Amino acid sequence: MGTLVKALQMIGSQYRSRGLSSFLAMNRLQFFAWLRALVVKLFSFGKIKSSIFFMQANSTIELLGKRSRMRIGKYAFIRKNASIRIDHEGELELGDYAFINDNCNINCVNHVSIGAYTKIAPNVCINDHDHNYRQAGDDHLLIGQVTIGEHVWIGSNVVILRDTTIGDHAVIAAGSVVKGHVPAHTLFANKREKRMIPIDPESASSPVKESV
């Protein structure tokens, strides 16, 4: 009952702030996003445990492993063209009111956790594993995990690698590559510097000699 009251309060607030036409357009999109999420949940055959959540057009959730699982908190929102792929024994947790923007990619084979109220900007890539290019054969994954706390802001074009923990209320600057521990209440930014490396036109255009 409390969830319904809160939903009605949100609808009333949107109507007052946006006006009738914008309110109707936005809620039409919201309805189809909810319907799409419901269909995805139904066809997961019990692998997705969730409350009400939303998923916009062209976003996908793939649970490819026999024991792959996903838990989605209430009012989590996944925007357009996001790809979430869970394989092997992977488990992905998406907290209440978490927000994933357009064109994000999450690849999970072990464990990825994204806390409540965390917001992820467009074009973010999150992986809990790497490919071991030194290892031949099928056993080529270096498996870890990713834990992102609550109320975290992640900027556009960020790459988050395996064995990363980001504390609550941290901010990850756009374009950063993150691996390791980011403390809570911290702004993380990779050092950016311009490098101009001359290219020798002769060596660039000369043919590569092949040994026989």
Side-chain angles (χ1 to χ4, degrees), residues 124-144:
V124 170
C125 185
I126 301 172
N127 293 282
D128 69 353
H129 61 283
D130 291 330
H131 291 277
N132 185 0
Y133 60 88
R134 295 186 177 90
Q135 179 68 43
D138 295 332
D139 188 19
H140 63 281
L141 294 181
L142 300 171
I143 297 174

Side-chain angles (χ1 to χ4, degrees), residues 27 62 174:
N27 280 278
E62 299 175 300

Side-chain angles (χ1 to χ4, degrees), residues 6 50 55 72 125 133 135 145 168 189 211:
K6 195 161 189 177
S50 74
M55 190 168 74
I72 305 175
C125 185
Y133 60 88
Q135 179 68 43
Q145 61 181 14
D168 296 343
S211 59

Side-chain angles (χ1 to χ4, degrees), residues 80-96:
K80 297 176 182 177
N81 304 309
S83 173
I84 298 174
R85 182 184 177 96
I86 310 168
D87 204 351
H88 302 288
E89 298 183 7
E91 183 178 13
L92 194 152
E93 300 177 61
L94 189 61
D96 295 346

Side-chain angles (χ1 to χ4, degrees), residues 128-163:
D128 69 353
H129 61 283
D130 291 330
H131 291 277
N132 185 0
Y133 60 88
R134 295 186 177 90
Q135 179 68 43
D138 295 332
D139 188 19
H140 63 281
L141 294 181
L142 300 171
I143 297 174
Q145 61 181 14
V146 173
T147 302
I148 301 172
E150 298 182 354
H151 296 274
V152 173
W153 289 77
I154 298 176
S156 300
N157 302 303
V158 166
V159 177
I160 299 175
L161 302 175
R162 67 180 174 92
D163 295 330

Side-chain angles (χ1 to χ4, degrees), residues 42-56:
L42 290 175
F43 280 92
S44 76
F45 302 106
K47 290 185 176 183
I48 296 177
K49 305 294 184 184
S50 74
S51 179
I52 297 172
F53 75 103
F54 304 89
M55 190 168 74
Q56 289 190 329

Side-chain angles (χ1 to χ4, degrees), residues 2-46:
T3 302
L4 178 59
V5 170
K6 195 161 189 177
L8 291 174
Q9 289 174 344
M10 289 174 60
I11 290 171
S13 175
Q14 290 172 2
Y15 174 77
R16 290 189 295 272
S17 63
R18 295 178 183 273
L20 180 60
S21 59
S22 296
F23 169 79
L24 292 175
M26 188 183 75
N27 280 278
R28 179 181 64 85
L29 295 174
Q30 295 278 62
F31 172 76
F32 284 111
W34 166 78
L35 189 61
R36 188 176 291 106
L38 181 61
V39 171
V40 168
K41 179 180 178 179
L42 290 175
F43 280 92
S44 76
F45 302 106

